[in-house]
Amino acid sequence: MKPLIARLKPLLRWFILGGTLFFLAQVLIQNWQQVIAIRVDAGGWAALTIALGITLLAHIFAGWVWCLILADFDQPVQRVRLIQAYLQATIAKYLPGNIWHFYGRIVAAREEGVPFAIATVSVLLEPLLMAASALLLTLFSSREIVAQFGWLGVLAQWG
């Protein structure tokens, strides 16, 4: 069974790549007139550059959080390598299926010597912790909640 899987694995990768490229080409063909009609001025380029920088910093921070999660599981990892792997795997988020970035992070953690179970849990914990922090940020920045309870009242509700 293993030799069969080993032979099919490269074919599966090419199949996924081909399907993705076909999907992108199909969308481009359907919307090519809208794409060529886009005109970006200097202010637009500046805004795009700033947005790209902020997005890159956010993803670097998310990769750092993932490294901290692995450190909490007592896994000695090279943070720079894992943050790079995180950034590379994040590109796979936009492939059909929306699971390939998780797979890429698990593979990267396994290459660093992290056991499969810990790698999987760390990859699943990272988006849950990000969602929890977003919820807290939303609660603390909500005018209605702060107006009703005050800052200390919001904190007291959690304590």
Side-chain angles (χ1 to χ4, degrees), residues 96-126:
N98 199 20
I99 61 164
W100 301 109
H101 60 292
F102 293 132
Y103 175 75
R105 291 177 197 153
I106 292 170
V107 168
R110 293 285 297 134
E111 289 173 356
E112 288 289 316
V114 177
F116 179 76
I118 292 175
T120 304
V121 168
S122 71
V123 166
L124 294 176
L125 271 178
E126 183 262 332

Side-chain angles (χ1 to χ4, degrees), residues 23-39:
F23 172 76
L24 290 174
Q26 183 86 12
V27 170
L28 187 61
I29 289 169
Q30 289 175 354
N31 300 304
W32 70 274
Q33 289 180 339
Q34 293 172 354
V35 172
I36 62 171
I38 296 174
R39 300 287 182 244

Side-chain angles (χ1 to χ4, degrees), residues 78-141:
Q78 295 180 2
R79 290 186 180 182
V80 173
R81 285 182 57 186
L82 273 185
I83 290 173
Q84 287 174 343
Y86 183 94
L87 292 173
Q88 290 171 349
T90 298
I91 295 169
K93 182 186 298 186
Y94 304 102
L95 295 176
N98 199 20
I99 61 164
W100 301 109
H101 60 292
F102 293 132
Y103 175 75
R105 291 177 197 153
I106 292 170
V107 168
R110 293 285 297 134
E111 289 173 356
E112 288 289 316
V114 177
F116 179 76
I118 292 175
T120 304
V121 168
S122 71
V123 166
L124 294 176
L125 271 178
E126 183 262 332
L128 290 174
L129 290 174
M130 291 293 178
S133 64
L135 177 63
L136 287 175
L137 186 64
T138 301
L139 285 175
F140 289 132
S141 61

